[in-house]
Amino acid sequence: MTHILFSASAILFYLAATSVIGLRLFRPHEAWVPSRDVALSLGFAGLILHTWLLWNSIFSQVGLNLAFFNALALTSWTVITLLLVSSLTKPVENLGLILLPVAAVTLVLESAFGEVAFLSATASWPLKLHVLLSMLAYSLLTLAAVQAILLAIQDNHLRNRHASSFVRGLPPLQTMESLLFEMIAAGFVLLTLALLSGFAFLQNMFAQHLVHKTVLSTLAWVVFGALLLGRFRYGWRGRTAITWTLSGFLILILAYFGSKVVIEFILPR
């Protein structure tokens, strides 16, 4: 009962923060809206409850319960943590318009369909390091993907000379692009370390049903690496950067959550 109450409260806080961000972005000209501090405060309140929920659902003396929906909620927690902490110093809180409702949905799924799939407490340190680095890499690149979506909307509005309140509420286009590539660069470094740490314990990818995860993760790494190289050498930006970012993100999502769907839901049948 306590779990459901905390989950519902976290969801309400996340949705309230989303509403404030939406009001700030879509407000009529000159209309009063709550400050960004209100949105961040509501988001942090939801994050605290989200943390308590994960602590009780995932951590135990037996090991880490990283079943599909628990892993989904953990990933959303990492994304929201990075988003809110980054928002204290950078104008990225608008990403919460998409990410906060998604986090709320993951909490609904975790509460309704929680299962058990333990990563043993005696697991090797390279495996634990790999899981941590993977979560951070996926989360940062998720932020980059949402940033790319907002950048695409902003670019389309500016090309059509339609300066809506939504576009006026976003940082300048150049700032949005700079933030995008900062996220991609940091995520790429973490993804590189995650892949290297993964190879340290990968003994037989076919026996461990990890071949598709390994191949897709490597392919995503190539896509993000090519994007950064294109930015550095050829000045890629705008729609090119958006397309490459979203392509790499979709491959990465298929690598991680696609593999968990196969292992936990399809193979047992």
Side-chain angles (χ1 to χ4, degrees), residues 169-205:
L170 296 173
L173 192 65
Q174 187 174 0
T175 302
M176 292 284 284
E177 282 192 344
S178 297
L179 289 171
L180 172 64
F181 279 99
E182 287 178 13
M183 294 173 186
I184 293 172
F188 179 75
V189 171
L190 288 170
L191 182 59
T192 302
L193 295 174
L195 287 171
L196 291 175
S197 63
F199 287 125
F201 72 88
L202 189 62
Q203 298 176 347
N204 186 334
M205 70 172 67

Side-chain angles (χ1 to χ4, degrees), residues 52-212:
W52 184 90
L53 288 167
L54 291 181
W55 182 262
N56 283 274
S57 299
I58 293 178
F59 295 94
S60 73
Q61 294 181 346
V62 179
L64 299 179
N65 180 8
L66 292 179
F68 180 80
F69 294 109
N70 280 359
L72 201 62
L74 178 59
T75 301
S76 71
W77 176 89
T78 310
V79 170
I80 298 303
T81 300
L82 291 172
L83 170 66
L84 294 176
V85 172
S86 298
S87 296
L88 296 175
T89 56
K90 295 181 179 180
V92 295
E93 70 278 358
N94 293 331
L95 301 182
L97 188 66
I98 297 174
L99 294 172
L100 288 166
V102 170
V105 171
T106 66
L107 289 178
V108 172
L109 295 173
E110 185 274 333
S111 297
F113 303 107
E115 295 184 10
V116 176
F118 281 110
L119 172 63
S120 173
T122 60
S124 63
W125 69 263
L127 178 57
K128 293 178 180 178
L129 179 63
H130 170 70
V131 171
L132 173 62
L133 290 170
S134 296
M135 286 291 183
L136 290 174
Y138 296 144
S139 300
L140 258 176
L141 292 171
T142 297
L143 289 177
V146 176
Q147 178 77 353
I149 292 171
L150 291 181
L151 184 59
I153 296 171
Q154 185 180 29
D155 180 69
N156 183 65
H157 278 238
L158 292 176
R159 285 176 183 271
N160 295 325
R161 299 181 180 179
H162 179 54
S164 65
S165 59
F166 173 78
V167 172
R168 289 195 300 269
L170 296 173
L173 192 65
Q174 187 174 0
T175 302
M176 292 284 284
E177 282 192 344
S178 297
L179 289 171
L180 172 64
F181 279 99
E182 287 178 13
M183 294 173 186
I184 293 172
F188 179 75
V189 171
L190 288 170
L191 182 59
T192 302
L193 295 174
L195 287 171
L196 291 175
S197 63
F199 287 125
F201 72 88
L202 189 62
Q203 298 176 347
N204 186 334
M205 70 172 67
F206 292 98
Q208 294 171 290
H209 307 294
L210 295 175
V211 60
H212 50 292

